[in-house]
Amino acid sequence: ILLRPPVPLRPLLAGFGLLAAIAVGITVWTVYADRDARLSADTEQSAMLARALEEHVSRTFDGINLLLAQTAGEFTRIGGVKALSPGDVHDYLRSRLPPLPQVQGYFVYAPDSSLYALSASREPPRVNGRQLEFVVAHASNAGDRLFVGRPITGLITGKPLIPVTRRVSSSKGTYGGVVGAALDPDYFSAFYRGLGLQPGQTLGLLRRDGHL
């Protein structure tokens, strides 16, 4: 009987160890390659979404800004917000400012910070706006800029709204009140839902100070 010489165990185990290391290495490389591919695809999708959202936000606010700037200038030209009665200002808001899909309505605050007129009602409720963020911002800042306020609840509709406002100045440049638009948050939500996000993906719109 011929017996084969025994196979050395250590080299054999070393061979299996090398094969296992190669297999693990290939598996790890595959995992990292797949992860990098997913990250690259997600990054590209995020960049595309960011561009689409930036364009949508610009279109939304640019139209409102133009209307409010024209309206604030008109109030300055005629001598201030109180040059017209609240009912006449209501009629002006209804007739001169077009109904934009992103806007619930328009409003005007007088220099004494009281709600002066609404497009939604000829007789606005009595509101002292001294503590409202946008009233404080415009009363303390003579700058001519659009202000996007924190979401509040509408007085007439009871729905959330985002106040978008501009300062009205007197002919001498002093504070003359606020003209604003009630931006509908659902306008943004509907657009976001239409983007076809995957489960678990969420979009949010924040101010520069981080307020949602």
PDB file of all heavy atoms in Angstrom, residues 56-71:
ATOM      1  N   HIS A  56     -38.345  78.021  -7.911  1.00  0.00           N
ATOM      2  CA  HIS A  56     -39.732  78.129  -7.457  1.00  0.00           C
ATOM      3  C   HIS A  56     -39.875  79.222  -6.398  1.00  0.00           C
ATOM      4  O   HIS A  56     -40.807  80.027  -6.442  1.00  0.00           O
ATOM      5  CB  HIS A  56     -40.196  76.783  -6.899  1.00  0.00           C
ATOM      6  CG  HIS A  56     -41.616  76.777  -6.443  1.00  0.00           C
ATOM      7  ND1 HIS A  56     -41.966  76.831  -5.104  1.00  0.00           N
ATOM      8  CD2 HIS A  56     -42.789  76.744  -7.127  1.00  0.00           C
ATOM      9  CE1 HIS A  56     -43.278  76.820  -4.990  1.00  0.00           C
ATOM     10  NE2 HIS A  56     -43.799  76.762  -6.196  1.00  0.00           N
ATOM     11  N   VAL A  57     -38.956  79.260  -5.441  1.00  0.00           N
ATOM     12  CA  VAL A  57     -38.994  80.289  -4.399  1.00  0.00           C
ATOM     13  C   VAL A  57     -38.823  81.677  -5.002  1.00  0.00           C
ATOM     14  O   VAL A  57     -39.524  82.628  -4.627  1.00  0.00           O
ATOM     15  CB  VAL A  57     -37.915  80.008  -3.335  1.00  0.00           C
ATOM     16  CG1 VAL A  57     -37.754  81.201  -2.391  1.00  0.00           C
ATOM     17  CG2 VAL A  57     -38.272  78.775  -2.528  1.00  0.00           C
ATOM     18  N   SER A  58     -37.904  81.812  -5.944  1.00  0.00           N
ATOM     19  CA  SER A  58     -37.682  83.111  -6.578  1.00  0.00           C
ATOM     20  C   SER A  58     -38.927  83.598  -7.305  1.00  0.00           C
ATOM     21  O   SER A  58     -39.322  84.757  -7.172  1.00  0.00           O
ATOM     22  CB  SER A  58     -36.505  83.023  -7.559  1.00  0.00           C
ATOM     23  OG  SER A  58     -35.302  82.756  -6.877  1.00  0.00           O
ATOM     24  N   ARG A  59     -39.550  82.705  -8.076  1.00  0.00           N
ATOM     25  CA  ARG A  59     -40.767  83.091  -8.792  1.00  0.00           C
ATOM     26  C   ARG A  59     -41.872  83.482  -7.812  1.00  0.00           C
ATOM     27  O   ARG A  59     -42.599  84.454  -8.032  1.00  0.00           O
ATOM     28  CB  ARG A  59     -41.254  81.947  -9.681  1.00  0.00           C
ATOM     29  CG  ARG A  59     -40.392  81.682 -10.893  1.00  0.00           C
ATOM     30  CD  ARG A  59     -41.195  80.912 -11.952  1.00  0.00           C
ATOM     31  NE  ARG A  59     -41.899  79.773 -11.393  1.00  0.00           N
ATOM     32  CZ  ARG A  59     -41.409  78.538 -11.322  1.00  0.00           C
ATOM     33  NH1 ARG A  59     -40.192  78.296 -11.776  1.00  0.00           N
ATOM     34  NH2 ARG A  59     -42.115  77.558 -10.811  1.00  0.00           N
ATOM     35  N   THR A  60     -41.986  82.720  -6.721  1.00  0.00           N
ATOM     36  CA  THR A  60     -43.045  82.971  -5.740  1.00  0.00           C
ATOM     37  C   THR A  60     -42.899  84.344  -5.106  1.00  0.00           C
ATOM     38  O   THR A  60     -43.859  85.113  -5.023  1.00  0.00           O
ATOM     39  CB  THR A  60     -43.016  81.885  -4.645  1.00  0.00           C
ATOM     40  OG1 THR A  60     -43.240  80.606  -5.245  1.00  0.00           O
ATOM     41  CG2 THR A  60     -44.100  82.147  -3.605  1.00  0.00           C
ATOM     42  N   PHE A  61     -41.706  84.662  -4.650  1.00  0.00           N
ATOM     43  CA  PHE A  61     -41.506  85.898  -3.912  1.00  0.00           C
ATOM     44  C   PHE A  61     -41.287  87.112  -4.821  1.00  0.00           C
ATOM     45  O   PHE A  61     -41.626  88.231  -4.436  1.00  0.00           O
ATOM     46  CB  PHE A  61     -40.335  85.751  -2.943  1.00  0.00           C
ATOM     47  CG  PHE A  61     -40.660  84.925  -1.734  1.00  0.00           C
ATOM     48  CD1 PHE A  61     -40.315  83.592  -1.687  1.00  0.00           C
ATOM     49  CD2 PHE A  61     -41.327  85.476  -0.656  1.00  0.00           C
ATOM     50  CE1 PHE A  61     -40.625  82.810  -0.578  1.00  0.00           C
ATOM     51  CE2 PHE A  61     -41.638  84.713   0.459  1.00  0.00           C
ATOM     52  CZ  PHE A  61     -41.278  83.386   0.494  1.00  0.00           C
ATOM     53  N   ASP A  62     -40.730  86.903  -6.003  1.00  0.00           N
ATOM     54  CA  ASP A  62     -40.495  88.040  -6.905  1.00  0.00           C
ATOM     55  C   ASP A  62     -41.806  88.690  -7.323  1.00  0.00           C
ATOM     56  O   ASP A  62     -41.913  89.918  -7.390  1.00  0.00           O
ATOM     57  CB  ASP A  62     -39.717  87.587  -8.146  1.00  0.00           C
ATOM     58  CG  ASP A  62     -38.254  87.333  -7.847  1.00  0.00           C
ATOM     59  OD1 ASP A  62     -37.809  87.702  -6.741  1.00  0.00           O
ATOM     60  OD2 ASP A  62     -37.563  86.744  -8.708  1.00  0.00           O
ATOM     61  N   GLY A  63     -42.826  87.867  -7.621  1.00  0.00           N
ATOM     62  CA  GLY A  63     -44.122  88.423  -8.020  1.00  0.00           C
ATOM     63  C   GLY A  63     -44.762  89.218  -6.904  1.00  0.00           C
ATOM     64  O   GLY A  63     -45.302  90.316  -7.123  1.00  0.00           O
ATOM     65  N   ILE A  64     -44.709  88.676  -5.673  1.00  0.00           N
ATOM     66  CA  ILE A  64     -45.272  89.378  -4.526  1.00  0.00           C
ATOM     67  C   ILE A  64     -44.500  90.661  -4.255  1.00  0.00           C
ATOM     68  O   ILE A  64     -45.080  91.722  -3.991  1.00  0.00           O
ATOM     69  CB  ILE A  64     -45.248  88.467  -3.284  1.00  0.00           C
ATOM     70  CG1 ILE A  64     -46.133  87.245  -3.509  1.00  0.00           C
ATOM     71  CG2 ILE A  64     -45.704  89.218  -2.039  1.00  0.00           C
ATOM     72  CD1 ILE A  64     -46.061  86.232  -2.387  1.00  0.00           C
ATOM     73  N   ASN A  65     -43.190  90.591  -4.324  1.00  0.00           N
ATOM     74  CA  ASN A  65     -42.347  91.751  -4.043  1.00  0.00           C
ATOM     75  C   ASN A  65     -42.658  92.906  -4.990  1.00  0.00           C
ATOM     76  O   ASN A  65     -42.741  94.069  -4.575  1.00  0.00           O
ATOM     77  CB  ASN A  65     -40.876  91.354  -4.150  1.00  0.00           C
ATOM     78  CG  ASN A  65     -39.938  92.451  -3.680  1.00  0.00           C
ATOM     79  OD1 ASN A  65     -40.279  93.250  -2.803  1.00  0.00           O
ATOM     80  ND2 ASN A  65     -38.756  92.496  -4.253  1.00  0.00           N
ATOM     81  N   LEU A  66     -42.837  92.594  -6.252  1.00  0.00           N
ATOM     82  CA  LEU A  66     -43.138  93.633  -7.238  1.00  0.00           C
ATOM     83  C   LEU A  66     -44.468  94.315  -6.925  1.00  0.00           C
ATOM     84  O   LEU A  66     -44.573  95.550  -6.947  1.00  0.00           O
ATOM     85  CB  LEU A  66     -43.161  93.022  -8.632  1.00  0.00           C
ATOM     86  CG  LEU A  66     -43.495  93.973  -9.788  1.00  0.00           C
ATOM     87  CD1 LEU A  66     -42.470  95.091  -9.870  1.00  0.00           C
ATOM     88  CD2 LEU A  66     -43.574  93.210 -11.105  1.00  0.00           C
ATOM     89  N   LEU A  67     -45.492  93.515  -6.618  1.00  0.00           N
ATOM     90  CA  LEU A  67     -46.809  94.080  -6.303  1.00  0.00           C
ATOM     91  C   LEU A  67     -46.763  94.944  -5.047  1.00  0.00           C
ATOM     92  O   LEU A  67     -47.327  96.052  -5.013  1.00  0.00           O
ATOM     93  CB  LEU A  67     -47.828  92.957  -6.115  1.00  0.00           C
ATOM     94  CG  LEU A  67     -48.310  92.230  -7.365  1.00  0.00           C
ATOM     95  CD1 LEU A  67     -49.223  91.074  -6.974  1.00  0.00           C
ATOM     96  CD2 LEU A  67     -49.039  93.180  -8.294  1.00  0.00           C
ATOM     97  N   LEU A  68     -46.099  94.464  -4.014  1.00  0.00           N
ATOM     98  CA  LEU A  68     -46.043  95.217  -2.760  1.00  0.00           C
ATOM     99  C   LEU A  68     -45.222  96.489  -2.909  1.00  0.00           C
ATOM    100  O   LEU A  68     -45.556  97.523  -2.308  1.00  0.00           O
ATOM    101  CB  LEU A  68     -45.479  94.337  -1.645  1.00  0.00           C
ATOM    102  CG  LEU A  68     -46.306  93.110  -1.265  1.00  0.00           C
ATOM    103  CD1 LEU A  68     -45.660  92.380  -0.094  1.00  0.00           C
ATOM    104  CD2 LEU A  68     -47.746  93.494  -0.914  1.00  0.00           C
ATOM    105  N   ALA A  69     -44.166  96.434  -3.695  1.00  0.00           N
ATOM    106  CA  ALA A  69     -43.366  97.636  -3.926  1.00  0.00           C
ATOM    107  C   ALA A  69     -44.192  98.703  -4.643  1.00  0.00           C
ATOM    108  O   ALA A  69     -44.137  99.896  -4.296  1.00  0.00           O
ATOM    109  CB  ALA A  69     -42.117  97.288  -4.734  1.00  0.00           C
ATOM    110  N   GLN A  70     -44.953  98.294  -5.636  1.00  0.00           N
ATOM    111  CA  GLN A  70     -45.809  99.236  -6.354  1.00  0.00           C
ATOM    112  C   GLN A  70     -46.887  99.806  -5.434  1.00  0.00           C
ATOM    113  O   GLN A  70     -47.181 101.008  -5.463  1.00  0.00           O
ATOM    114  CB  GLN A  70     -46.446  98.548  -7.559  1.00  0.00           C
ATOM    115  CG  GLN A  70     -45.451  98.160  -8.644  1.00  0.00           C
ATOM    116  CD  GLN A  70     -46.094  97.329  -9.741  1.00  0.00           C
ATOM    117  OE1 GLN A  70     -47.185  96.775  -9.576  1.00  0.00           O
ATOM    118  NE2 GLN A  70     -45.412  97.224 -10.877  1.00  0.00           N
ATOM    119  N   THR A  71     -47.464  98.951  -4.591  1.00  0.00           N
ATOM    120  CA  THR A  71     -48.518  99.391  -3.681  1.00  0.00           C
ATOM    121  C   THR A  71     -47.974 100.349  -2.629  1.00  0.00           C
ATOM    122  O   THR A  71     -48.583 101.390  -2.340  1.00  0.00           O
ATOM    123  CB  THR A  71     -49.166  98.183  -2.987  1.00  0.00           C
ATOM    124  OG1 THR A  71     -49.634  97.273  -3.986  1.00  0.00           O
ATOM    125  CG2 THR A  71     -50.329  98.612  -2.113  1.00  0.00           C
TER     126      THR A  71
END
